[in-house]
Amino acid sequence: MQTSRPTVSYIEIVRKKSNTMEHTFSQIESDLKEKKQKKVIKCVVWDLDDTIWQGVLLENDQLVLREGIVDILKTLDSWGIINSIASKNNYDDAIRMLERFGIREYFLYPQIHWDLKSNSIQKIKEKLNIGMDAIAFIDDQPFERDEVAFVHEQVNCLDVGSIGQVLEWFKPRFITEESSLRRKMYLDDEVRHQEEQEIGNNRKFLESLALTFSIQAATVNDLQRVEELTLRTNQLNATGYSYTYEELEALIQSPDHHLFVAELIDKYGSYGKIGVAMVECNPQTWTLKLLLMSCRVMSRGVGGVLLNYIMNLARQKGCTLQAEFLPTDRNRLMYVTYKFAGFTEAGQLTNGGVLLSHSLAEEVPYAEYINLSLPE
């Protein structure tokens, strides 16, 4: 759930920059107030019969791929939007047909069986670890769409006649390097999961991954990915805020703010940029205004590394540290992360959130199995 946020302090930042671009403060303020968050679709779940292809597999029809469907699948995939399947069919027969059409590789976690499609979508959601409102379901049958909508009211259920608008509706604002690699990253996670099951011991498994956690000050080249993370990350986002490229660009030029990005790499490859922290710096107190981590790394034991770094850095600067937490319907785990790190409640925010604080009495150690790469 994306929440509206107070914009006064950030408008001041944008105003400083806007003087060189002949924008007025009132125009900037109006633009921010009127900005609407575009719905972020992370997965499109497709029916097969009379949707992906024309005809019914079980009835031995002469199946033909729907016109333009291959280009749509490839484009969504290149944008980092996962394709999956919820179809009532025989699994082996359907997979063989997808392979014959040359499109099997584009579908992750296909659910092809005779169970309810709402159950199929639940399984896909759990596999991808995303929210129901990030899923679009396309089916030619009104009954199937209604069944899914009844059970999962947040799923975007679309008739097959909407296929022509899918790319227009779901196109992200930016296509990042991580976007084009997203399907591969999920496949790599499957390999990691299999190895974890074989090893059995979670600590030994994490040690075997040769994890490298890199933190750096954000540059202009990172901002598209940072905006994407603030839009896509809901569960591990301490405030639920999302930021535009323009707001982020102003922040990295502000002497009163630090914007950090984190990347995780293991022996299988890079997870990409998976963490963001933004700190407002006053002479005596630092305030964490944004802290988020991609859900894809929840099980890697790295959720607290970026927070620990901020804590240690503030301590080195002789500052106390505060953090803003704004509860949403999904981010309870971030509150637990703060409390586990030793933060205590210090007051209420005007937007309904909680202000947390930490004394920073001692330096925080990092996990021994993680190789750290920190800014100079």
Side-chain angles (χ1 to χ4, degrees):
M1 177 179 70
Q2 297 297 339
T3 58
S4 60
R5 65 179 181 280
T7 57
V8 176
S9 60
Y10 305 113
I11 292 173
E12 291 296 332
I13 299 167
V14 177
R15 181 169 58 173
K16 293 176 185 178
K17 183 183 178 185
S18 69
N19 289 337
T20 63
M21 304 188 320
E22 299 183 356
H23 287 314
T24 66
F25 172 65
S26 61
Q27 288 173 324
I28 297 287
E29 184 176 35
S30 176
D31 289 344
L32 291 177
K33 286 182 178 179
E34 294 178 1
K35 183 184 66 178
K36 294 182 179 179
Q37 297 297 341
K38 184 178 179 180
K39 192 68 176 176
V40 177
I41 295 298
K42 302 178 183 180
C43 175
V44 179
V45 180
W46 301 87
D47 175 42
L48 291 178
D49 292 331
D50 287 325
T51 302
I52 288 291
W53 53 59
Q54 294 174 326
V56 178
L57 177 60
L58 194 61
E59 296 178 1
N60 296 316
D61 290 345
Q62 293 296 317
L63 304 182
V64 179
L65 281 179
R66 183 171 293 275
E67 183 178 359
I69 193 65
V70 175
D71 288 339
I72 293 173
L73 295 173
K74 288 182 177 180
T75 301
L76 291 173
D77 185 73
S78 70
W79 290 349
I81 298 175
I82 299 301
N83 293 290
S84 192
I85 294 170
S87 173
K88 292 181 178 178
N89 259 305
N90 293 322
Y91 180 87
D92 292 339
D93 293 339
I95 292 296
R96 278 194 295 269
M97 188 56 63
L98 291 169
E99 291 173 345
R100 185 178 304 173
F101 283 132
I103 56 175
R104 168 65 184 93
E105 64 182 294
Y106 294 106
F107 298 100
L108 287 186
Y109 314 123
Q111 302 299 308
I112 304 172
H113 43 62
W114 300 101
D115 200 356
L116 294 173
K117 293 194 176 182
S118 59
N119 291 342
S120 293
I121 288 177
Q122 178 67 34
K123 292 176 182 177
I124 294 167
K125 180 243 185 224
E126 292 171 357
K127 281 284 191 179
L128 295 175
N129 195 19
I130 60 177
M132 283 295 181
D133 61 349
I135 296 175
F137 171 57
I138 301 178
D139 197 300
D140 67 299
Q141 295 294 317
F143 170 83
E144 301 292 359
R145 299 195 301 273
D146 289 347
E147 188 271 326
V148 169
F150 181 81
V151 178
H152 306 301
E153 60 181 19
Q154 291 183 306
V155 171
N156 301 268
C157 296
L158 305 174
D159 179 69
V160 69
S162 303
I163 285 181
Q165 286 74 50
V166 163
L167 296 183
E168 176 186 351
W169 290 341
F170 300 158
K171 183 178 182 180
R173 185 180 181 200
F174 296 119
I175 313 300
T176 66
E177 181 180 354
E178 282 84 358
S179 300
S180 61
L181 296 174
R182 189 157 289 122
R183 174 163 55 90
K184 179 182 181 300
M185 290 178 178
Y186 274 110
L187 292 172
D188 288 345
D189 282 345
E190 285 292 295
V191 177
R192 295 181 182 102
H193 179 70
Q194 291 174 11
E195 182 175 338
E196 183 176 12
Q197 295 299 310
E198 293 172 0
I199 292 177
N201 184 297
N202 182 255
R203 176 58 182 260
K204 290 183 178 179
F205 167 68
L206 293 175
E207 291 174 347
S208 75
L209 288 176
L211 293 164
T212 296
F213 194 93
S214 173
I215 300 173
Q216 64 183 35
T219 68
V220 172
N221 293 332
D222 298 313
L223 298 188
Q224 291 186 9
R225 173 57 176 163
V226 173
E227 178 183 300
E228 181 183 42
L229 277 169
T230 67
L231 286 169
R232 292 178 60 93
T233 305
N234 297 297
Q235 296 181 59
L236 299 183
N237 186 334
T239 54
Y241 296 163
S242 61
Y243 290 79
T244 66
Y245 181 98
E246 291 75 19
E247 291 169 312
L248 293 166
E249 188 176 20
L251 285 168
I252 65 172
Q253 297 184 29
S254 165
D256 300 323
H257 293 80
H258 292 316
L259 183 65
F260 297 101
V261 292
E263 179 179 4
L264 183 64
I265 300 172
D266 68 15
K267 65 182 182 181
Y268 294 104
S270 175
Y271 295 76
K273 300 289 173 56
I274 44 78
V276 180
M278 192 267 286
V279 186
E280 185 177 75
C281 304
N282 292 316
Q284 303 299 323
T285 303
W286 282 15
T287 303
L288 259 168
K289 310 287 286 189
L290 172 68
L291 179 66
L292 66 82
M293 192 71 61
S294 170
C295 299
R296 294 180 50 252
V297 299
M298 285 178 63
S299 62
R300 297 295 170 259
V302 299
V305 176
L306 184 55
L307 176 58
N308 291 349
Y309 171 73
I310 300 296
M311 293 168 63
N312 288 335
L313 186 60
R315 184 174 183 272
Q316 292 171 15
K317 299 294 183 180
C319 297
T320 59
L321 183 63
Q322 298 178 337
E324 295 182 358
F325 174 77
L326 182 63
T328 70
D329 59 348
R330 298 183 191 169
N331 69 348
R332 172 70 181 176
L333 186 57
M334 289 303 287
Y335 181 79
V336 174
T337 299
Y338 276 131
K339 296 292 284 186
F340 187 77
F343 282 79
T344 58
E345 293 193 11
Q348 298 293 315
L349 301 173
T350 57
N351 60 3
V354 179
L355 184 66
L356 305 168
S357 67
H358 200 291
S359 64
L360 305 180
E362 299 178 353
E363 185 170 351
V364 184
Y366 300 102
E368 295 179 356
Y369 58 82
I370 299 174
N371 298 311
L372 288 176
S373 176
L374 304 178
E376 295 292 335

